[in-house]
Amino acid sequence: MQVKQYMLGKGYSWATPYYIAIGKQRGPHVMVVAGIHGKEIASIRAAEKLVRLLDQQKLRISQGKLIIVPIVNQEAYRKRIRGIPDLNRTFPRTKKQTASNPLSAAVFQLAQKHQPEWYLDLHEANGLSQKDAKVLGQTLISDKGNPVVPAVRRTIKRMNHSIKIKERHFNLRLHELPGSSRTAAARFLGARAVTVETCWSLPKKVRIKYQLEIVQHFLREAGLIKANEVYLSAKVRMGHSMKM
């Protein structure tokens, strides 16, 4: 299995690399994006680590195609800001509408080209949803009625079973967010689309670990990797019970 690098928006100031890994057999397409908001660092690091694991053959996909965009908004990432405008409000809102920003347009065109059946958008948020139902930290979000919801519930169950500190447990949120990449992928590509939100107040290592594990759970749900292919280092396993 080879991991190939490409450039999104080559020649433009907002150009950013993306990566494609293809399994030996045909199968579903999964797209993973991170860094739509430039200051959500753990999600970016998790996506970068995913690319490295694939490149080093420590994680292998057996079938299908995996498209990864580790840092969508390079300018916001360099400044460590959310981004101006908020890129996650600029994706298409109707079938006839195009994205209102050239970068979000390029990301959505990439998704249209590869037609992913699964779409994961990695983010971070304030607060712990176990302590405050109004916050989005430690949540997995999808659109109501999206066919991914059963897989989201299973993923949350697996994550929470392995997380010893209850206040760090994940919760499910169901709501559409017009203009977001997740809702656009769900509405107009028919994708099983999920937003992953880890909590900023947790240590960065822990957030990266959660992000990477969640992505792998979904890759297994999609059939791209087998259970015995899931990457878990000794440090990652130990991190579940560490009190930080």
Side-chain angles (χ1 to χ4, degrees):
M1 183 194 71
Q2 287 186 324
V3 181
K4 293 187 177 181
Q5 178 179 316
Y6 302 88
M7 190 62 69
L8 188 68
K10 188 175 182 180
Y12 291 93
S13 60
W14 45 263
T16 190
Y18 69 94
Y19 303 83
I20 295 179
I22 301 176
K24 291 182 179 180
Q25 299 178 12
R26 289 189 176 185
H29 295 180
V30 177
M31 186 165 174
V32 178
V33 301
I36 282 181
H37 294 146
K39 66 178 182 177
E40 296 170 8
I41 303 302
S43 58
I44 291 169
R45 296 290 176 259
E48 291 174 334
K49 187 168 186 178
L50 180 64
V51 172
R52 289 197 302 273
L53 291 174
L54 291 164
D55 193 49
Q56 296 166 1
Q57 301 289 304
K58 292 181 179 178
L59 180 68
R60 292 170 291 183
I61 62 172
S62 56
Q63 63 174 354
K65 180 188 292 185
L66 177 58
I67 306 105
I68 307 167
V69 190
I71 311 175
V72 170
N73 196 336
Q74 289 280 353
E75 183 179 357
Y77 170 68
R78 286 191 292 269
K79 296 177 180 178
R80 296 298 196 272
I81 61 172
R82 184 177 175 91
I84 303 173
D86 184 339
L87 203 64
N88 212 31
R89 303 295 184 272
T90 65
F91 285 83
R93 294 170 182 255
T94 68
K95 278 189 176 181
K96 294 183 178 181
Q97 184 185 47
T98 58
S100 60
N101 182 281
L103 179 49
S104 53
V107 172
F108 196 68
Q109 285 166 10
L110 181 67
Q112 288 176 309
K113 177 181 177 180
H114 293 282
Q115 291 292 309
E117 288 91 345
W118 297 72
Y119 186 94
L120 306 178
D121 189 4
L122 309 186
H123 285 268
E124 298 202 84
N126 288 319
L128 293 164
S129 62
Q130 281 292 327
K131 298 175 74 174
D132 183 350
K134 295 179 181 179
V135 302
L136 292 180
Q138 301 300 93
T139 64
L140 300 185
I141 310 170
S142 189
D143 296 63
K144 189 175 181 180
N146 191 278
V148 80
V149 172
V152 174
R153 293 189 189 277
R154 289 191 294 270
T155 296
I156 289 174
K157 186 176 180 179
R158 293 181 187 116
M159 289 298 297
N160 290 349
H161 179 73
S162 66
I163 298 172
K164 306 304 180 187
I165 304 172
K166 190 172 181 180
E167 68 178 19
R168 296 182 180 180
H169 282 189
F170 284 85
N171 287 296
L172 173 65
R173 294 285 186 271
L174 295 175
H175 68 82
E176 288 192 324
L177 180 59
S180 70
S181 78
R182 182 242 311 161
T183 293
R187 282 183 178 179
F188 312 127
L189 302 179
R192 291 171 167 84
V194 182
T195 300
V196 178
E197 299 272 10
T198 45
C199 174
W200 270 321
S201 65
L202 299 180
K204 186 166 69 172
K205 272 188 180 180
V206 173
R207 288 147 46 206
I208 294 170
K209 173 190 64 181
Y210 290 164
Q211 292 267 354
L212 187 59
E213 289 181 1
I214 288 167
V215 170
Q216 289 180 94
H217 282 310
F218 280 115
L219 292 179
R220 188 174 67 177
E221 287 279 351
L224 267 67
I225 63 174
K226 300 174 183 177
N228 61 357
E229 288 289 348
V230 173
Y231 171 83
L232 287 173
S233 70
K235 286 184 179 179
V236 168
R237 288 196 300 270
M238 198 165 52
H240 283 300
S241 59
M242 289 170 64
K243 292 186 178 181
M244 298 182 184

